[in-house]
Amino acid sequence: MPTDEQDLAFMRVALEEATRAPAIGEVPIAAVVVRGGEILAQAHNYRELWQDPTAHAEVIAIRAAATTLGTWRLTETTLYVTVEPCSMCIGAVILARVPRVVFGAWDRKAGACGSVFDLPAEPRLNHRVLVTGGVLEQESQALIQKFFKELREASPAEKPLSTQ
């Protein structure tokens, strides 16, 4: 599916959300759940602040969207995320019945939408997810690279305990 203006607009919202994460010591990854052109939820990572390995932007946004809609079935939604979802996050997408994911930067170390794994293409799963990757890829990649560059340059007292 070709990228359209709506995809670009919502990816820009995700990128803007991602810029908030470094202020609290989080990697700048963010997700936005949209239905019918309306934002249902948006979030960035909270793994460090909450000390919760499941506090990825996608999971938090999916939970918030489910609460907003009053159902765990997020049919007719699209998840926009700045970085390719990992296996946990795409698993949550599949379980929530999200029909479409649009992401920015590819994750060659943990991505599960074509980089390391391709879970949405797994024919044995009971739900299909249409995935569009590389939307505003350079902008998404630049946020991550800037964060880690600044982290490497920070004094030891300023560095968070974990960088993942």
Side-chain angles (χ1 to χ4, degrees):
M1 176 177 270
T3 302
D4 62 17
E5 289 304 314
Q6 183 168 302
D7 287 348
L8 294 172
F10 288 121
M11 278 300 296
R12 287 185 186 103
V13 172
L15 285 164
E16 179 62 31
E17 178 69 27
T19 65
R20 296 180 182 98
I24 60 169
E26 297 288 347
V27 177
I29 298 173
V32 177
V33 179
V34 175
R35 183 179 75 170
E38 176 188 350
I39 295 174
L40 299 175
Q42 65 187 67
H44 59 73
N45 279 9
Y46 278 92
R47 288 183 351 165
E48 295 299 328
L49 189 65
W50 296 351
Q51 289 299 295
D52 179 351
T54 69
H56 290 205
E58 300 96 322
V59 172
I60 296 166
I62 286 168
R63 286 177 179 160
T67 298
T68 297
L69 294 176
T71 180
W72 61 267
R73 293 175 184 89
L74 300 183
T75 59
E76 302 178 13
T77 64
T78 299
L79 175 73
Y80 294 88
V81 61
T82 57
V83 175
E84 179 183 6
C86 69
S87 56
M88 176 185 68
C89 291
I90 199 63
V93 165
I94 291 165
L95 292 172
R97 309 299 193 263
V98 174
R100 184 164 181 250
V101 170
V102 177
F103 70 84
W106 294 88
D107 184 346
R108 307 285 183 220
K109 294 181 179 178
C113 295
S115 287
V116 177
F117 303 106
D118 195 356
L119 292 179
E122 174 54 56
R124 294 172 290 183
L125 294 175
N126 68 335
H127 176 68
R128 300 290 166 262
V129 179
L130 177 63
V131 177
T132 304
V135 177
L136 298 180
E137 181 175 9
Q138 283 95 6
E139 292 89 334
S140 298
Q141 191 74 35
L143 272 177
I144 299 289
Q145 289 172 342
K146 179 179 185 261
F147 175 80
F148 284 110
K149 180 178 186 279
E150 290 175 357
L151 189 64
R152 284 188 302 273
E153 293 171 353
S155 70
E158 297 171 339
K159 292 182 182 180
L161 295 177
S162 172
T163 59
Q164 294 184 333

